[in-house]
Amino acid sequence: VRRIGLAPWSATTLFVAAVVAPLSFASLQLPLMAIGSLTMGFAGQTVKIAYAFGQTGAGQVLDRVGTRRGLSLGVAFYSVAAMLTSLASGLRSFCAFRFLLGAGEAANWPGATKGVSEWFPRRESGWAVALFDSGSSIGGAVAPVLVLWIFHTFGSWRPAFVITGALGFGWLLLFRWLYRSPETHPRLSAEERAYILAGRPSQQTNTAATSSRIPMRRLLALPQTWGIIVAKTLTDPVWFFITDWLAIFLVSRGFRLEDSLFAFWIPFLAADAGNFLAGGVSSWLITRGWAVGTARKAVIVVCALGMTLIAAAAFLTSLWWITACLAISTLSYAALSTMVLNLPADIYPTHSVASVSGMSGTGAGIGTIAATYLTGMVADRYSFAPIMIVASMIPLVAAAAVL
């Protein structure tokens, strides 16, 4: 059993990075509030496209240069891009800076996944992934309050970009001071270093695991890689459907937003609980003698079934029951997502983890962009019911992809 050492501190830096990242995204909404919805939608897609496709490239860079240097470059890049956005003078320059921001932030998730693979044996990695994955939800909740406070304090949207960018550089100083790989960390005890290295998948027999970085062509030839990509591509759009369309869905069902504020908070709180529930359950199963892959897949299957309750919310009339179904669905999604995020660290050597994580992030981004357009088209022509029925079935396909 690991004694308290440096690993929790390394995980904390990844968690803080996940909290800081949404702050710059939230700042982007302020200057867009005065323009039309169509223009806002166009500007909104620039960051999504850069973020989606940037993850594959970021993963490759991280596996080449390492977590410490790669994440440092990514956060420095998007912090500069955030601060430069304060100089935007029109839609073109704003979209250009927004694109750069998305490209820089693309390093966050592949880098955090790679960091977990470096510091945590597979029986502990579920907790670590749950921690950094929950950071985005916390950052997303804090961001609107902080950004609006900055806006009202200074009377302009421009300082919000400067301040949120400066927070990124503040994190960078903390990260550079605390984080190094276990092989080279000067403050890591020999006992903890041996414990960490002994728990890496490259130390065990695995068809995908070797001691060196796996070329992209070989990664794409492995069925495990495609299972992870398909699972992320199919399930992430379900989460963004809830976060982006929940208010419109409730209004379409006849509920006043002023009377249903609790319906917005409960699913997000349930998602945070789902992150840690998945990490805890899978780690508990592993300590009980379950194989790592079996433990992860068992949680994924159960959670895919839990996400089918999205369909029930389309036909219920009580706001409480609708909220309950969505809460169970988001808890299940977050738990499933934590397990899928774990899979690259479970299966691949640490020198290839970011590459696989980045490709799955690109798939998720493409799936989310496509689902956003399809949701709008179907909801306008028919209703939300067909969307929610399909959304409840897709996680079952995702679970089958990783079995």
Side-chain angles (χ1 to χ4, degrees):
V1 178
R2 182 205 293 267
R3 296 170 182 170
I4 299 299
L6 290 178
W9 293 103
S10 298
T12 299
T13 62
L14 302 176
F15 164 77
V16 175
V19 174
V20 171
L23 303 182
S24 296
F25 276 116
S27 302
L28 295 169
Q29 304 304 317
L30 290 175
L32 294 175
M33 291 170 65
I35 66 178
S37 297
L38 181 61
T39 306
M40 183 173 177
F42 172 76
Q45 292 305 315
T46 59
V47 69
K48 290 182 179 179
I49 292 171
Y51 184 75
F53 288 95
Q55 287 194 60
T56 294
Q60 288 284 297
V61 172
L62 281 155
D63 281 333
R64 288 180 181 274
V65 305
T67 306
R68 188 169 186 261
R69 185 181 299 175
L71 266 181
S72 296
L73 289 172
V75 174
F77 186 91
Y78 83 67
S79 297
V80 170
M83 298 175 83
L84 288 175
T85 307
S86 65
L87 304 177
S89 58
L91 181 61
R92 288 185 179 181
S93 59
F94 183 78
C95 287
F97 289 132
R98 190 178 174 97
F99 185 89
L100 294 176
L101 178 64
E105 293 223 13
N108 265 23
W109 247 234
T113 305
K114 183 177 177 66
V116 168
S117 74
E118 289 181 343
W119 276 92
F120 292 88
R122 297 192 295 175
R123 59 182 171 274
E124 297 177 359
S125 63
W127 287 109
V129 170
L131 180 63
F132 82 70
D133 198 19
S134 69
S136 61
S137 298
I138 295 172
V142 172
V145 178
L146 175 63
V147 169
L148 286 174
W149 176 82
I150 294 172
F151 175 75
H152 289 299
T153 300
F154 293 95
S156 170
W157 56 266
R158 297 183 187 274
F161 290 100
V162 177
I163 293 173
T164 55
L167 289 175
F169 281 110
W171 174 86
L172 189 58
L173 293 175
L174 174 68
F175 181 70
R176 298 288 296 180
W177 177 57
L178 282 175
Y179 193 95
R180 285 176 174 81
S181 67
E183 291 91 337
T184 61
H185 206 300
R187 295 189 294 274
L188 184 65
S189 68
E191 181 184 9
E192 187 178 7
R193 181 178 289 111
Y195 177 85
I196 293 169
L197 298 180
R200 288 188 179 172
S202 58
Q203 304 291 326
Q204 302 179 28
T205 301
N206 190 295
T207 57
T210 65
S211 59
S212 60
R213 191 170 64 88
I214 303 173
M216 178 73 79
R217 181 179 299 178
R218 186 179 169 203
L219 286 174
L220 290 173
L222 294 169
Q224 298 98 321
T225 302
W226 285 105
I228 295 170
I229 293 173
V230 169
K232 283 287 289 179
T233 301
L234 294 179
T235 55
D236 270 29
V238 177
W239 166 251
F240 284 102
F241 165 76
I242 294 175
T243 60
D244 294 346
W245 294 90
L246 179 57
I248 300 173
F249 166 69
L250 291 177
V251 170
S252 73
R253 299 299 308 277
F255 299 107
R256 296 177 65 249
L257 295 182
E258 295 84 352
D259 300 331
S260 55
L261 291 178
F262 73 92
F264 292 94
W265 280 99
I266 291 178
F268 286 94
L269 294 174
D272 276 335
N275 287 324
F276 291 99
L277 181 63
V281 169
S282 64
S283 295
W284 179 78
L285 291 174
I286 293 168
T287 60
R288 299 284 292 182
W290 287 47
V292 173
T294 304
R296 306 283 196 230
K297 292 173 182 178
V299 175
I300 287 173
V301 169
V302 171
C303 292
L305 293 172
M307 290 179 69
T308 59
L309 285 176
I310 295 174
F315 302 99
L316 294 169
T317 57
S318 166
L319 181 61
W320 286 99
W321 281 110
I322 291 173
T323 304
C325 288
L326 293 178
I328 294 172
S329 298
T330 54
L331 183 150
S332 299
Y333 161 79
L336 186 151
S337 176
T338 297
M339 293 296 93
V340 174
L341 285 170
N342 256 287
L343 292 178
D346 288 341
I347 298 171
Y348 300 90
T350 187
H351 301 296
S352 298
V353 167
S355 296
V356 178
S357 178
M359 287 189 287
S360 70
T362 295
I366 294 172
T368 299
I369 292 170
T372 299
Y373 285 111
L374 290 173
T375 297
M377 292 172 56
V378 174
D380 285 344
R381 180 169 296 186
Y382 303 104
S383 69
F384 280 101
I387 300 165
M388 299 177 80
I389 292 172
V390 173
S392 69
M393 299 168 62
I394 282 177
L396 299 176
V397 180
V402 299
L403 292 180

